[in-house]
Amino acid sequence: MKKKKVWVADFLCVLVAAIWGTGFIASQVAIDAKLSASLIMALRFLIAAAVMLVACLPRLKQLNLSVVKAGMIPGFFLFGGFYTQILGQQRTTVSHCAFLTATNVVMTPFLVWLFERRRPPVRTFVITVFTLIGIAVLSITPGSFEFSFNFGDLLSLLCAFFFAMHITVLGKVTKKADPMLINFVQLATAAIISVLVLAVTDADALSRADMSSGIWAILFLGLFSTCLCFFLQTYAQKYTTSAQAGVLLSMEGLFGSVFSVLLGMEALTGNMIAGGAMILCSVIALEFFSGALEK
Protein backbone atom coordinates (compact mmCIF):
# COMPACT_ATOMS: atom_id res chain seq x y z
CA MET A 1 0.00 0.00 0.00
CA LYS A 2 2.84 2.39 0.88
CA LYS A 3 4.58 1.68 -2.43
CA LYS A 4 1.32 2.30 -4.29
CA LYS A 5 0.95 5.71 -2.61
CA VAL A 6 4.50 6.59 -3.68
CA TRP A 7 3.74 5.69 -7.29
CA VAL A 8 0.53 7.75 -7.20
CA ALA A 9 2.42 10.67 -5.66
CA ASP A 10 5.12 10.48 -8.34
CA PHE A 11 2.45 10.38 -11.07
CA LEU A 12 0.88 13.51 -9.58
CA CYS A 13 4.27 15.27 -9.72
CA VAL A 14 4.52 14.40 -13.43
CA LEU A 15 0.96 15.67 -13.96
CA VAL A 16 1.91 18.93 -12.23
CA ALA A 17 4.94 19.26 -14.52
CA ALA A 18 2.70 18.72 -17.56
CA ILE A 19 0.23 21.42 -16.49
CA TRP A 20 3.09 23.79 -15.70
CA GLY A 21 4.39 23.09 -19.21
CA THR A 22 1.15 24.44 -20.69
CA GLY A 23 1.45 27.37 -18.30
CA PHE A 24 4.31 28.75 -20.42
CA ILE A 25 1.82 29.29 -23.24
CA ALA A 26 -0.79 30.87 -20.95
CA SER A 27 1.84 33.21 -19.51
CA GLN A 28 2.83 34.35 -22.99
CA VAL A 29 -0.82 35.06 -23.84
CA ALA A 30 -1.11 37.18 -20.68
CA ILE A 31 2.09 39.06 -21.49
CA ASP A 32 0.87 39.70 -25.05
CA ALA A 33 -2.29 41.18 -23.47
CA LYS A 34 -0.03 43.76 -21.76
CA LEU A 35 -0.41 42.34 -18.27
CA SER A 36 2.69 43.17 -16.24
CA ALA A 37 4.62 40.51 -14.36
CA SER A 38 3.52 41.79 -10.96
CA LEU A 39 -0.13 41.95 -12.07
CA ILE A 40 0.01 38.38 -13.40
CA MET A 41 1.46 37.16 -10.10
CA ALA A 42 -1.10 39.02 -7.99
CA LEU A 43 -4.09 37.80 -10.04
CA ARG A 44 -3.00 34.17 -10.30
CA PHE A 45 -2.34 33.87 -6.55
CA LEU A 46 -5.51 35.76 -5.58
CA ILE A 47 -7.63 33.45 -7.75
CA ALA A 48 -5.87 30.34 -6.45
CA ALA A 49 -6.14 31.40 -2.81
CA ALA A 50 -9.84 32.26 -3.18
CA VAL A 51 -10.64 28.86 -4.69
CA MET A 52 -8.67 27.05 -2.00
CA LEU A 53 -10.47 29.07 0.68
CA VAL A 54 -13.83 27.83 -0.61
CA ALA A 55 -12.52 24.25 -0.85
CA CYS A 56 -11.18 24.44 2.71
CA LEU A 57 -14.30 25.89 4.36
CA PRO A 58 -15.24 22.57 6.05
CA ARG A 59 -11.65 22.28 7.38
CA LEU A 60 -11.11 25.84 8.59
CA LYS A 61 -11.89 24.85 12.19
CA GLN A 62 -8.66 22.82 12.04
CA LEU A 63 -6.67 25.90 11.00
CA ASN A 64 -4.48 26.85 13.94
CA LEU A 65 -1.34 28.89 14.49
CA SER A 66 1.00 25.95 13.88
CA VAL A 67 -0.61 25.20 10.50
CA VAL A 68 -0.45 28.89 9.53
CA LYS A 69 3.24 29.07 10.43
CA ALA A 70 3.91 25.83 8.54
CA GLY A 71 2.16 27.13 5.39
CA MET A 72 3.62 30.63 5.45
CA ILE A 73 7.20 29.41 5.09
CA PRO A 74 6.72 27.56 1.75
CA GLY A 75 4.43 30.44 0.68
CA PHE A 76 7.29 32.89 1.11
CA PHE A 77 9.67 30.72 -0.92
CA LEU A 78 6.94 30.20 -3.54
CA PHE A 79 6.59 33.95 -4.06
CA GLY A 80 10.35 34.42 -4.02
CA GLY A 81 10.85 31.78 -6.71
CA PHE A 82 8.33 33.24 -9.14
CA TYR A 83 9.31 36.86 -8.54
CA THR A 84 13.07 36.39 -8.95
CA GLN A 85 12.42 34.25 -12.03
CA ILE A 86 10.52 37.09 -13.69
CA LEU A 87 13.15 39.67 -12.71
CA GLY A 88 15.94 37.39 -13.89
CA GLN A 89 14.33 36.67 -17.26
CA GLN A 90 13.99 40.41 -17.87
CA ARG A 91 17.76 40.84 -17.45
CA THR A 92 19.18 37.76 -19.16
CA THR A 93 18.38 35.43 -22.05
CA VAL A 94 15.51 32.94 -21.89
CA SER A 95 17.92 30.00 -22.27
CA HIS A 96 20.12 31.26 -19.43
CA CYS A 97 17.11 31.75 -17.16
CA ALA A 98 15.59 28.35 -18.00
CA PHE A 99 18.83 26.49 -17.40
CA LEU A 100 19.84 28.33 -14.21
CA THR A 101 16.31 28.01 -12.75
CA ALA A 102 16.46 24.27 -13.39
CA THR A 103 19.52 23.93 -11.15
CA ASN A 104 17.04 23.61 -8.27
CA VAL A 105 16.92 19.90 -9.13
CA VAL A 106 20.57 19.61 -8.02
CA MET A 107 20.20 21.95 -5.02
CA THR A 108 17.32 19.98 -3.48
CA PRO A 109 19.27 16.87 -2.35
CA PHE A 110 21.90 19.09 -0.72
CA LEU A 111 19.22 21.08 1.12
CA VAL A 112 17.59 17.84 2.28
CA TRP A 113 21.01 16.72 3.51
CA LEU A 114 21.49 20.06 5.31
CA PHE A 115 18.11 20.15 7.05
CA GLU A 116 17.62 16.45 7.76
CA ARG A 117 21.27 15.69 8.60
CA ARG A 118 21.19 12.64 6.32
CA ARG A 119 23.32 12.36 3.20
CA PRO A 120 21.31 10.99 0.26
CA PRO A 121 22.95 8.03 -1.55
CA VAL A 122 25.33 8.72 -4.42
CA ARG A 123 22.72 7.51 -6.90
CA THR A 124 20.49 10.42 -5.87
CA PHE A 125 23.12 12.92 -6.95
CA VAL A 126 23.93 11.01 -10.15
CA ILE A 127 20.28 11.03 -11.23
CA THR A 128 19.75 14.70 -10.41
CA VAL A 129 22.93 15.81 -12.20
CA PHE A 130 21.99 13.73 -15.25
CA THR A 131 18.57 15.40 -15.19
CA LEU A 132 20.21 18.82 -15.08
CA ILE A 133 22.38 17.95 -18.09
CA GLY A 134 19.23 16.89 -19.96
CA ILE A 135 17.56 20.18 -19.08
CA ALA A 136 20.62 22.07 -20.33
CA VAL A 137 20.55 20.20 -23.65
CA LEU A 138 16.80 20.80 -23.93
CA SER A 139 16.89 24.48 -23.01
CA ILE A 140 19.97 25.88 -24.69
CA THR A 141 20.07 26.62 -28.41
CA PRO A 142 23.44 25.60 -29.86
CA GLY A 143 25.83 28.52 -29.90
CA SER A 144 23.60 30.75 -27.75
CA PHE A 145 25.02 30.03 -24.30
CA GLU A 146 27.92 32.42 -23.96
CA PHE A 147 30.39 32.27 -21.11
CA SER A 148 29.03 35.28 -19.24
CA PHE A 149 27.36 35.88 -15.92
CA ASN A 150 25.31 38.99 -15.23
CA PHE A 151 22.84 40.22 -12.62
CA GLY A 152 19.95 38.47 -14.38
CA ASP A 153 21.84 35.17 -14.13
CA LEU A 154 22.38 35.78 -10.42
CA LEU A 155 18.64 36.38 -9.95
CA SER A 156 17.89 33.17 -11.88
CA LEU A 157 20.17 31.23 -9.53
CA LEU A 158 18.40 32.86 -6.58
CA CYS A 159 15.11 31.74 -8.14
CA ALA A 160 16.43 28.16 -8.30
CA PHE A 161 17.38 28.36 -4.63
CA PHE A 162 13.90 29.60 -3.67
CA PHE A 163 12.21 26.76 -5.61
CA ALA A 164 14.58 24.19 -4.10
CA MET A 165 13.78 25.56 -0.64
CA HIS A 166 10.06 25.42 -1.44
CA ILE A 167 10.28 21.76 -2.41
CA THR A 168 12.43 20.92 0.63
CA VAL A 169 10.31 22.81 3.20
CA LEU A 170 7.05 21.58 1.69
CA GLY A 171 8.30 18.01 1.97
CA LYS A 172 8.74 18.52 5.72
CA VAL A 173 5.55 20.39 6.63
CA THR A 174 3.17 18.18 4.63
CA LYS A 175 4.17 15.16 6.72
CA LYS A 176 2.60 16.77 9.80
CA ALA A 177 -0.40 18.77 8.55
CA ASP A 178 -3.43 18.65 6.23
CA PRO A 179 -2.15 19.24 2.64
CA MET A 180 -5.26 21.27 1.74
CA LEU A 181 -4.80 23.69 4.63
CA ILE A 182 -1.07 23.98 3.96
CA ASN A 183 -1.77 24.73 0.32
CA PHE A 184 -4.35 27.39 1.21
CA VAL A 185 -1.97 29.13 3.61
CA GLN A 186 0.97 29.07 1.21
CA LEU A 187 -1.15 30.44 -1.66
CA ALA A 188 -2.67 33.11 0.58
CA THR A 189 0.81 34.11 1.73
CA ALA A 190 2.07 34.39 -1.85
CA ALA A 191 -1.08 36.34 -2.80
CA ILE A 192 -0.65 38.89 0.00
CA ILE A 193 3.00 39.47 -0.83
CA SER A 194 2.19 39.72 -4.57
CA VAL A 195 -0.52 42.35 -3.97
CA LEU A 196 1.83 44.37 -1.77
CA VAL A 197 4.56 44.25 -4.42
CA LEU A 198 2.05 45.24 -7.12
CA ALA A 199 0.81 48.19 -5.06
CA VAL A 200 4.33 49.45 -4.40
CA THR A 201 5.99 48.84 -7.77
CA ASP A 202 3.25 48.90 -10.43
CA ALA A 203 0.01 50.38 -9.05
CA ASP A 204 -1.41 51.39 -12.46
CA ALA A 205 -0.76 48.01 -14.13
CA LEU A 206 -4.48 47.14 -14.35
CA SER A 207 -5.29 50.28 -16.36
CA ARG A 208 -2.72 49.32 -19.01
CA ALA A 209 -3.81 45.69 -19.33
CA ASP A 210 -6.13 44.30 -22.01
CA MET A 211 -8.13 42.07 -19.66
CA SER A 212 -10.54 40.95 -22.37
CA SER A 213 -7.64 39.26 -24.17
CA GLY A 214 -5.77 38.03 -21.12
CA ILE A 215 -8.56 36.91 -18.78
CA TRP A 216 -8.66 33.30 -19.97
CA ALA A 217 -4.90 32.95 -19.60
CA ILE A 218 -5.09 34.39 -16.08
CA LEU A 219 -7.92 32.01 -15.15
CA PHE A 220 -5.88 29.07 -16.42
CA LEU A 221 -2.82 30.20 -14.46
CA GLY A 222 -4.85 30.81 -11.32
CA LEU A 223 -7.08 27.73 -11.36
CA PHE A 224 -4.82 25.09 -12.90
CA SER A 225 -1.14 26.15 -12.91
CA THR A 226 -1.40 27.54 -9.37
CA CYS A 227 -4.39 26.29 -7.33
CA LEU A 228 -4.63 22.73 -8.68
CA CYS A 229 -0.91 22.20 -9.25
CA PHE A 230 0.27 23.35 -5.86
CA PHE A 231 -2.43 21.33 -4.14
CA LEU A 232 -1.33 18.23 -6.08
CA GLN A 233 2.33 18.95 -5.29
CA THR A 234 1.54 19.52 -1.62
CA TYR A 235 -0.44 16.26 -1.45
CA ALA A 236 2.19 14.32 -3.41
CA GLN A 237 5.06 15.43 -1.18
CA LYS A 238 3.28 13.88 1.78
CA TYR A 239 4.09 10.47 0.28
CA THR A 240 7.16 10.94 -1.90
CA THR A 241 10.60 12.35 -1.17
CA SER A 242 11.82 15.86 -1.88
CA ALA A 243 14.57 14.54 -4.17
CA GLN A 244 12.11 12.51 -6.23
CA ALA A 245 9.68 15.43 -6.41
CA GLY A 246 12.49 17.74 -7.59
CA VAL A 247 13.44 15.48 -10.49
CA LEU A 248 9.85 14.79 -11.55
CA LEU A 249 8.79 18.45 -11.36
CA SER A 250 11.80 19.37 -13.50
CA MET A 251 9.96 17.75 -16.44
CA GLU A 252 8.09 21.06 -16.70
CA GLY A 253 10.58 22.27 -19.32
CA LEU A 254 10.22 19.06 -21.33
CA PHE A 255 6.42 19.32 -21.40
CA GLY A 256 6.67 23.02 -22.24
CA SER A 257 8.80 22.19 -25.28
CA VAL A 258 6.49 19.36 -26.36
CA PHE A 259 3.35 21.51 -26.18
CA SER A 260 5.14 24.35 -27.93
CA VAL A 261 6.02 22.06 -30.85
CA LEU A 262 2.53 20.53 -31.01
CA LEU A 263 0.96 24.01 -31.15
CA GLY A 264 3.37 25.12 -33.87
CA MET A 265 5.09 27.74 -31.72
CA GLU A 266 8.55 26.32 -32.42
CA ALA A 267 10.18 23.60 -34.51
CA LEU A 268 11.30 20.21 -33.26
CA THR A 269 15.08 20.17 -32.85
CA GLY A 270 17.78 17.66 -32.05
CA ASN A 271 18.27 19.41 -28.72
CA MET A 272 14.67 18.68 -27.73
CA ILE A 273 14.95 15.02 -28.69
CA ALA A 274 18.30 14.47 -26.94
CA GLY A 275 17.47 16.52 -23.85
CA GLY A 276 14.00 15.00 -23.56
CA ALA A 277 15.42 11.49 -23.81
CA MET A 278 17.92 12.22 -21.04
CA ILE A 279 15.20 13.57 -18.76
CA LEU A 280 12.97 10.57 -19.42
CA CYS A 281 15.86 8.21 -18.69
CA SER A 282 16.41 10.04 -15.41
CA VAL A 283 12.75 9.63 -14.45
CA ILE A 284 12.81 5.92 -15.29
CA ALA A 285 16.00 5.48 -13.24
CA LEU A 286 14.41 7.48 -10.44
CA GLU A 287 11.46 5.10 -10.22
CA PHE A 288 13.64 2.00 -10.64
CA PHE A 289 16.00 3.09 -7.86
CA SER A 290 13.35 4.88 -5.77
CA GLY A 291 14.42 2.94 -2.74
CA ALA A 292 17.86 4.53 -3.00
CA LEU A 293 16.52 8.03 -2.48
CA GLU A 294 16.07 9.54 0.93
CA LYS A 295 12.97 8.54 2.87
Side-chain angles (χ1 to χ4, degrees):
M1 180 62 69
K2 183 177 180 181
K3 183 66 176 177
K4 182 179 179 181
K5 287 183 177 180
V6 172
W7 277 87
V8 171
D10 289 349
F11 169 77
L12 291 178
C13 286
V14 174
L15 178 60
V16 168
I19 297 174
W20 280 348
T22 62
F24 283 118
I25 299 169
S27 295
Q28 188 58 52
V29 172
I31 291 171
D32 291 341
K34 296 181 172 55
L35 275 73
S36 69
S38 55
L39 180 59
I40 292 172
M41 286 192 62
L43 291 176
R44 73 182 293 177
F45 281 118
L46 282 172
I47 292 172
V51 173
M52 280 307 303
L53 174 60
V54 174
C56 288
L57 284 177
R59 303 167 184 253
L60 286 182
K61 59 184 179 181
Q62 303 172 28
L63 188 64
N64 53 44
L65 186 58
S66 64
V67 175
V68 172
K69 289 181 178 178
M72 286 179 65
I73 299 173
F76 168 78
F77 288 120
L78 184 61
F79 167 82
F82 277 108
Y83 193 59
T84 50
Q85 183 181 57
I86 293 172
L87 294 178
Q89 189 169 333
Q90 290 174 341
R91 293 166 173 80
T92 188
T93 64
V94 174
S95 60
H96 275 222
C97 185
F99 173 66
L100 292 171
T101 299
T103 59
N104 74 82
V105 73
V106 175
M107 295 180 188
T108 302
F110 287 99
L111 290 174
V112 171
W113 185 3
L114 175 66
F115 288 112
E116 297 189 2
R117 305 297 182 184
R118 289 185 299 168
R119 183 180 66 83
V122 174
R123 279 175 289 189
T124 301
F125 296 103
V126 173
I127 291 173
T128 54
V129 170
F130 194 71
T131 302
L132 181 62
I133 295 172
I135 293 169
V137 174
L138 179 72
S139 304
I140 301 171
T141 303
S144 70
F145 197 92
E146 301 175 356
F147 290 97
S148 62
F149 192 87
N150 56 37
F151 185 58
D153 296 328
L154 179 62
L155 288 172
S156 298
L157 273 180
L158 182 58
C159 158
F161 171 75
F162 277 131
F163 281 133
M165 283 295 297
H166 178 256
I167 292 172
T168 304
V169 172
L170 197 63
K172 291 177 67 68
V173 300
T174 53
K175 302 296 190 295
K176 303 175 182 179
D178 186 336
M180 286 192 69
L181 290 176
I182 290 291
N183 191 45
F184 165 64
V185 175
Q186 74 165 348
L187 292 178
T189 300
I192 292 171
I193 300 174
S194 296
V195 171
L196 291 175
V197 170
L198 174 64
V200 172
T201 65
D202 199 9
D204 62 341
L206 191 59
S207 63
R208 301 194 310 268
D210 180 7
M211 292 304 298
S212 61
S213 299
I215 186 62
W216 295 111
I218 289 297
L219 287 174
F220 179 87
L221 291 173
L223 295 174
F224 295 98
S225 290
T226 307
C227 181
L228 176 62
C229 281
F230 285 112
F231 167 68
L232 293 178
Q233 181 192 351
T234 304
Y235 176 82
Q237 286 197 241
K238 190 176 183 72
Y239 301 104
T240 192
T241 67
S242 296
Q244 285 183 236
V247 172
L248 295 170
L249 293 172
S250 72
M251 294 181 70
E252 170 190 3
L254 173 60
F255 282 114
S257 297
V258 169
F259 292 134
S260 182
V261 170
L262 291 177
L263 293 174
M265 299 178 69
E266 59 181 306
L268 181 66
T269 65
N271 284 54
M272 292 183 185
I273 296 174
M278 294 178 72
I279 295 172
L280 287 176
C281 287
S282 296
V283 172
I284 293 172
L286 179 73
E287 293 304 316
F288 186 75
F289 295 117
S290 61
L293 295 171
E294 94 280 356
K295 301 298 182 185

